[in-house]
Each structure stands twice: as C-alpha cells, then as structure tokens.
Amino acid sequence: MMTLLILAILVLLIIAIARIVRIVELANELSGEDDSVINESDNKFNGRMLFFIMFATFGYFGWVTMKYKQFLLPESASVHGLATDRMLWITFAIIIAVFVVTQILLFTFAFKYSHDKSRRGLFYPDDHKLEILWTALPTIVLITLVGYGLMVWNKITAPAPKDAVVIELYGKQFDWTVRYGGKDNNLGKSNFRLITDNNVVGIDYTDEKGKDDIIVKELHLPVGKDVLLVLHSRDVIHSAYLPHFRTQMNCVPGMSTQFHLVPRLTTAAMRLITKNDKFDYVLLCNKVCGVAHYNMALKVICDSPEEYAAWMKSQKTVAESMSQAAEPAM
Amino acid sequence: MSDNKQAHGTEIPQNEQLLEYHSEVWAQHHAHHDAPEEKPNFWSHYIFSTDHKMISKQFLITAIFMAVAGMFLSTMFRLQLGWPEQKFMFLETLLGKWGEGGKLNPNFYLAAVTIHGTILVFMVLTGGLSGTFANLLIPLQIGARDMASGFLNMLSYWFFFASSAVMLSSLFIETGAASGGWTIYPPLSALPQAMPGSGLGMTLWLISMVLFIVSSLLGGINYVCTILNLRTRGMSMTRLPLTIWAFMITAILGILSFPVLFAAALLLVFDRSMGTSFYLSDIFIDGHALDYSGGSPILYQHLFWFLGHPEVYIILLPALGVTSEVIAVQSRKPIFGYKAMVGSMLVIAFLSFIVWGHHMFVTGMNPFLGSVFVFTTLLVAIPSAVKTFNYLATLWKANIVLSPAMLFAIGLVSFFITGGLTGIILGNSALDINIHDTYFVVAHFHIVMGSSAIFGMFAGVYHWFPRMFGRMMNKHMGYLHFWLTFASVYGVFFPMHFLGLAGVPRRYYADTAWEGFHTLANVNSMISIFAFIGAFAQFVFIFNFFYSIFRGRKAVQNPWRSNTLEWNAPVEHLHGNWPGAIPVVHRWAYDYSKPNADEDFIDQTIPYSQTTKSNLPMET
C-alpha cells in the first residue's frame, strides 16, 4: 500500500513538473522569449553563480577540513611512517597551492569574461613561450616529487636485517591467524594440504623448526624492534592493512609476501597521544574477500620489550599444545 | 576510384576548377554508393539502422538507461553506508530477499558496488560516451556520408545492447550478481565457494564483458578507419576538430588494450569451468584443499590493469575532446595550443600503457618495478597539466556564452584539476601503501574520471542535442541540473578524502570492524544526503532530455554559431548527411573571433579567398 502511494506520488510529481514546464514555456512564448537561446541575463546570472560557487566550494572544503581533521590518523606508530607522513604533507602543500591557483583562474575567467555583445574574444591560438613554461614547471615539480618519493620508497623496501622478528600473518575468510617463529625466530614449514580444524595454517609437524612456533589470534609487536611481517592466505586475496603503522600488504594464496617495519609507539603511548584510554591498534582486511570482509579485523598490541617478553613466555608453543592435546587420549 | 588518394588527400587544391571537379566526383561516387538502398521502414530506420546518427542515439538512450540502473544501485549502498543502524522497510518491497527486514543484505551490498562500477565504467562511460559521440561526430565533423562500415557499426551497437542486457539480468538471479568488485580479482571471482556472487552471477558478468569487448572493438576499428580514410577534401589531420583526435586516440587505445582484457577473462573462464590453474594455487576453502597448483592471482591483475589503466583514458579522452570543442565554441575563441592539445593526448595515450603497475604497489611486486611505475605514472601529470593550462588560456580574454554545455565543460576542468592532483599522491608508492584501497582512492577516481567524464558526456549531450534531435533542450532545467550536480559531486567526494586519510577501507558494508570508525558515521550520512540530491538532479536531466525530444523548440541549423562541419548539414537527418555534394574544407576548426572578420566565427568551408580582410599573413 505504502509503495503504491509512493509510486502514485512520484507519477503525480512528474506530471506536475511537466505541466509547470509547459506553463513556463507558454509564458515565454507569449513574452517572445526563447527558452533555448542563451541570452545576456543567462550569461550574467551564471557567470556570477560560477564566481559565487568558487567561494562556496572553498568555504565547504575549509569547513569539512576543520570539522573532520580530528579523524585523521594520529602520528605514525612506525618509524617509516614518519617519513611518509612528512612526504604526504609536503605533497599536500604543493597540490593545495596548485589547486587554489588553478581553480581561482578557472572560475574567475569564466565569470569575468562571460559574454558581452559589444566585445569579441581575443584571437590567441598559441604562444610557444607560455607553453614551454607550463610544460617545464610541472616537469620540474614532478621530477622532484618522484625523486623524493623513490628515496623514501627505497628506504622502506630495503631488506630487513637478519635479526628481525619474523611474524607470519595468515589470512582466511574471515579472520587472521598470527604465527611467531618462537625461540629460533624461524617459521616451520607449512602446507595448505595439511590444514585441519585444529591446524589452521597447515603446520608440518615433522619439521623441527616448527615445534617452537607460537600460534595466536592477536598481533603483538615489540616496540623499537625490526619486525618482518610474512603474509599468506589460504583462500582468496586478503590485504593486511595497519593504518596506524602506515602500511599494508596483500596476502596472496600460493605465494608469500612480506613487509618490514619498526614499531615506535606502544599501545600505552598511543593511548596518551589519542587521549583515549580504550584505544587499540587494528589490522584490517583491505581487499574485498567476501561477505564478512568488513568484519575481518585483528587486534594489534604494541608492547614494550618487557611486556613483549612476558607475553611471549606465557604463550604455548606448537609442541606444547600438541602434547597437551594428546595427553587426555593417552 | 583511381584518384581516391587525391580526393581524400590532405593537400589543399589551389585551383577552383579542380575543386569543382572533385565535388562532382564525390557526389557521383556517393550517389552510386547510396543507390541500392531501399526506402527505410520502422525496423531498418529505428532498430537495425546502419545510419551513424541513429546508432548514436541508440547508444545514448541505452547508456542513459544503464546509468539510471547504476545510479539506483549507488543510492542503495549509500543508504546502507549513511545509516547503517537504520531499518528501511521499503527495501523489502523493492529488493525482496536482498532487503529482508529493511536491511540491505551484505552480499547484495557487494553486488551493488560491483555492478555499479561495471555499469558506469563500461556501459556508460566507455560504450555510452564513445558510442554516442564518436558515432555522431566522426562522419559529420570530417565530412563523410557515414562510417566506413555501417554494418559493423550496427553490430557494434547490438553487441553493446546484448552486453548491457546480460549485465542487468545478472541482478535478478537467485545467487545474486557478481560481487567481487568491478576488477573481479581471482581467486574470489573464480571460486563459487568463496561467495555466492561468484557463481552464475560471475559467469554472466564474464559473458557480458566478452560481448562488450566485441562491441568496443567493432566500433573502434570503424572509428579509426573512418577518420583515416574518409576525411573530406581539405580536411587534413591538423584541421580536425579536437573531438575527432580524441575519438581516434581513444579507439586506438581500445583496440590495443581490450584484447588483453579478453585474454584475462578467457583464462578466468578456463579456471572456473575447465579446471586449469592460470590464476589459482594452494587453495584451501570450504573444508577442502583444492587441486589447483602453480597459478598466480597476480598474473590476472597484470592482465586486467593492462586494460584497466588505458581504460581510464578511454573514458577520459572523449570527454576531454568534447570539452575542448565546447570550450572553444562557447568561448568564441580558438582553442589555445591546438598542437599541444593533440600532442598531450598522444603522450597521455602512450604513457597509459606503461603505468598499470601503480594499481599493484601492495601486491608484493618487486619494489624496483614499483619505482619504475612511480616514475611513469607521475609523468602523466605533465601532459595533463599542459591540457589544463591550455583550457585556462582559452578562457582568458574570451567572450564566454555560458550555455549548460559550457557550464558542464567548466565543471569538467574543475574536477580534472582536483582529481588529477590527488593522483600525484596515489601514484607515489611510498604514500600509496597507506591509502591504497581506502576511500581516498574512491574520492580520487570518482572525481577525476567518474565525474569529469560524466560532465563531458553531459556537455556533449547539451551541445549536440540540436544536432541529434533537431530540437533544443530547455536551458532552465539544464542550469538547474548543472548546479545541483556540481554541488553534489564535491559534496559527496570531497569528505571521502578524509575517510581515506582516517584509514577507512573501501567496499566495507558497515563500520563495525574497529571502534574508531564509529565516530565517522555522520560524515557518511552527509555524503549520502549529497548523493541523493545528485541522484534527484539526474531526473531533471532525464525529464528535460525526453521532453525536449518531442516538445523542445525546433533548432536552427547552427545554434551555437560553430565552425565545424556537423552544423553545415541540414537540421533534418538524412542518410548520407548532406543532400548535395560533400562540403570541402578550407581552414582549421577554430577560427573564432578572428580580427577584422565579419562575424566571430568562420565556417570551415569558407575559403581564404572570401575572407581577405581577416586572413593572417601565412594564410593568403
């Protein structure tokens, strides 16, 4: 019933608009005005509107910026993030300057040079000097930005030091599993064919290196240490996105990807910075992976070295949980 | 014809007698050509027409229909994103099981996002934009009777129609339409176990896309052949309006890149149906280890983006071409730097083939390869900047008629700048790793290619409507449409940059993953309100469009006082475009406001000998 009513209202509305348009047209016909030819008052009105909308747009942009800047990510929790943040704001400074200048020129010209019967446009088909100027300027700016960007990029993607803590992030629909290399900081072999309900990452129990591995459902990062994230997926592509650490990397079935970072702020430190004592870091899936994609998150805790060591100690190794699981049966 | 080359050649005959002779040859040639044609009936005139003007209208109206479908889907998911807690009982009536209990089903949400993207990218802004304006303008602006092959042209439309129909039908099946995002990355799209949309819905998506590629290739080959071979006498390449350059470069991009998408889709079909492992390896899903081994999902991404990136320019270049023409005509001024405009389009087109890796910085690609793509990607900004500055220089000291088409063209330039600038951030890999796949990307591409291209399309429709239908569109509704749409584009997409910088991933059904996102709810409802205003504005356009087809004022022959040949043909459409001989061209397309000329425009067919007062030194 409700739907019928809505439909009826819509139809009536369209008919009403059609009638109004017809009336306006007839009125225009009577007054001899043509509603298809652009006349001087159209030019004047829309020229002013363009000038006005320029201020309105700038105003809106400013208002949105003031209102929403509180939502921007807090200072970077990883070391490389400091460099990328600095680069981001430098790039923003450049593009905002270009944005403001070009938009002002665009709308001001459109307003200032709107049609006037007594005038003619300037016949000005080209000017090589000007064109060389505005080819060269962007080239210089962009080459600078490319050079800057690649310098930062090369630093970020440099190989991790040998003693980096190796942590495997294992994605599946729709959760994450974290595996630490244990005492030997070495991940044991795994194979997707060995996956069972109790062996979610498919650990190969015959591999000695895997015996001391630790498998958990929380990501603990040691502050100030080099961390090498090794990423895997067992079904579709996922992406491990750590917004506060300014990084993400895809998890691709059939291959292994990695990312090296150095956390620099513990969860406790970040709680002080954000003035939110419930704050927690998060790892989000950032590659659409199915119906619960939007809920595929993992709690991330960045520990001080002592906390990290204590937490590590309290965790069971693969060998320990195996023997425990086996005991009752014996 | 033995003197074909001469007749189609680029040199300008000096001799008036020679000129007359050629006109006669042309007329005879075409009279002969047209002779076997029968009198058109309803079917051959409106449905299976081989006339480029009718095919152009068919493309446009189909694209409008598809755009409404795409827009409807976007209002559905904006409703969910704006008010995730709210129940809307009418959704149940509207969507059936996909809106059960007044809540949008998360699977339908993903399908809506996917099909919205697919329809807008392919059906509206590729098929619709190129199909409408390349078809309408190529023969008319180069002075040809029709496309090189009217039959292939007709096939191109009907493949497009079939493709659109299959895509729409996929929304109505039990398991839902394809839902893995418009880029349909495997393994998600390859395995029906991964999500319901990867079943029949994905099969239909692939069928639709294959049909679309056929349509696009048939069209593209035709456009290139026509432009290269059927230009009227005197229409050298450097006298072509910029629209034609844009359509030609676009068609070449399509011809070179769509076959790669075809290959990608074909391999995906093999993986889905025949047990091959091109894209699949080491997969455990639904309690089973699958037998696929040795494939790489990343291979698909390379193939996809080898089309996907040129596709951005397949969408954008025709819009820029239309804008160049509209801006020149309505500014009553020659386009500034014609050669630089052509050159920058060529450079953009070339670069578009070597930048695809910037979509893949976080796939685990070798970082050095990433550096190469950073370099090539940021180079694109140089020709884009040249184009922008040339538009600004065209507006400088112009005498601008602010028709609705001109307003949309100005809007395009504004979006092209805004969206292009954020591309400088995304193209730099070190910055991309933090905002990749967030709302920052959504904001960027919706402004720079979505809104820009659709504004180019609107500019084209308002500008060439009199040429298409012989009537004028209502200007008041045109202005209303522009102002509402312009405001809602920035209203919707500007705040999205902040969502992206806050770390909100795209394609999220709700903000429940992390408590920090809850505070962003009112940003989303504001975005949704602007989106609904924008959607409403499109009905003003649609109403104006269909109303004016039947009731608009009769158009005069050259309503915008333009130089180009399409306005030289009679208002009434006739197969073959010109009743007598084909016009001969004597000058470039942009002699506007020439000093000492009688009028502020000089038709391309007027020889220099008739404009001795206004000729430049080298033109005598």
Side-chain angles (χ1 to χ4, degrees), chain B residues 6-247:
Chain B
Q6 215 177 350
H8 295 200
T10 56
E11 69 275 355
I12 312 144
Q14 304 291 314
N15 186 317
E16 286 296 314
Q17 269 180 328
L18 188 73
L19 199 145
E20 252 168 62
Y21 163 75
H22 275 294
S23 293
E24 268 169 48
V25 172
W26 261 109
Q28 279 168 9
H29 172 70
H30 282 283
H32 173 73
H33 188 76
D34 289 347
E37 230 168 290
E38 287 168 31
K39 218 177 159 46
N41 57 29
F42 174 80
W43 289 96
S44 70
H45 185 67
Y46 288 106
I47 310 295
F48 297 107
S49 172
T50 55
D51 183 346
H52 71 100
K53 298 183 290 299
M54 183 55 71
I55 294 173
S56 147
K57 292 188 220 173
Q58 291 174 326
F59 265 109
L60 180 56
I61 290 171
T62 314
I64 289 177
F65 188 77
M66 292 305 282
V68 171
M71 194 175 73
F72 169 75
L73 293 172
S74 74
T75 55
M76 288 297 104
F77 60 71
R78 269 327 313 178
L79 204 61
Q80 161 64 26
L81 292 169
W83 299 274
E85 315 287 321
Q86 197 88 23
K87 282 184 181 166
F88 300 95
M89 289 324 285
F90 67 88
L91 285 180
E92 211 170 53
T93 331
L94 208 57
L95 305 171
K97 70 166 180 173
W98 301 119
E100 214 160 40
K103 294 281 294 168
L104 205 67
N105 179 301
N107 274 314
F108 181 78
Y109 169 84
L110 289 177
V113 171
T114 304
I115 304 299
H116 165 80
T118 311
I119 286 180
L120 266 297
V121 167
F122 292 107
M123 276 76 193
V124 179
L125 294 175
T126 305
L129 183 56
S130 275
T132 304
F133 294 107
N135 264 310
L136 177 73
L137 295 178
I138 289 175
L140 278 167
Q141 286 195 332
I142 67 172
R145 300 273 180 201
D146 204 325
M147 284 285 177
S149 167
F151 180 70
L152 286 190
N153 210 19
M154 177 190 86
L155 280 186
S156 164
Y157 170 71
W158 284 104
F159 272 104
F160 172 67
F161 181 84
S163 157
S164 301
V166 173
M167 189 61 75
L168 276 188
S169 69
S170 77
L171 283 168
F172 297 95
I173 59 175
E174 179 71 27
T175 48
S179 326
W182 76 280
T183 55
I184 59 154
Y185 283 177
L188 186 62
S189 61
L191 304 170
Q193 306 94 306
M195 67 194 314
S198 294
L200 180 60
M202 183 52 62
T203 307
L204 290 174
W205 193 98
L206 288 164
I207 292 171
S208 165
M209 205 41 59
V210 167
L211 292 170
F212 184 84
I213 293 168
V214 173
S215 156
S216 166
L217 291 178
L218 289 174
I221 289 168
N222 223 340
Y223 304 153
V224 176
C225 284
T226 310
I227 295 170
L228 290 183
N229 296 311
L230 295 185
R231 276 169 292 129
T232 185
R233 196 148 48 88
M235 183 63 93
S236 60
M237 292 303 275
T238 48
R239 284 177 177 176
L240 286 175
L242 286 171
T243 36
I244 303 299
W245 271 106
F247 297 142

Side-chain angles (χ1 to χ4, degrees), chain B residues 345-377:
Chain B
M345 280 198 280
L346 288 168
V347 173
I348 288 175
F350 170 72
L351 288 175
S352 76
F353 279 106
I354 51 171
V355 299
W356 80 90
H358 68 225
H359 298 273
M360 299 168 61
F361 287 142
V362 297
T363 56
M365 187 168 73
N366 185 321
F368 175 72
L369 197 54
S371 321
V372 176
F373 282 120
V374 170
F375 180 67
T376 53
T377 300

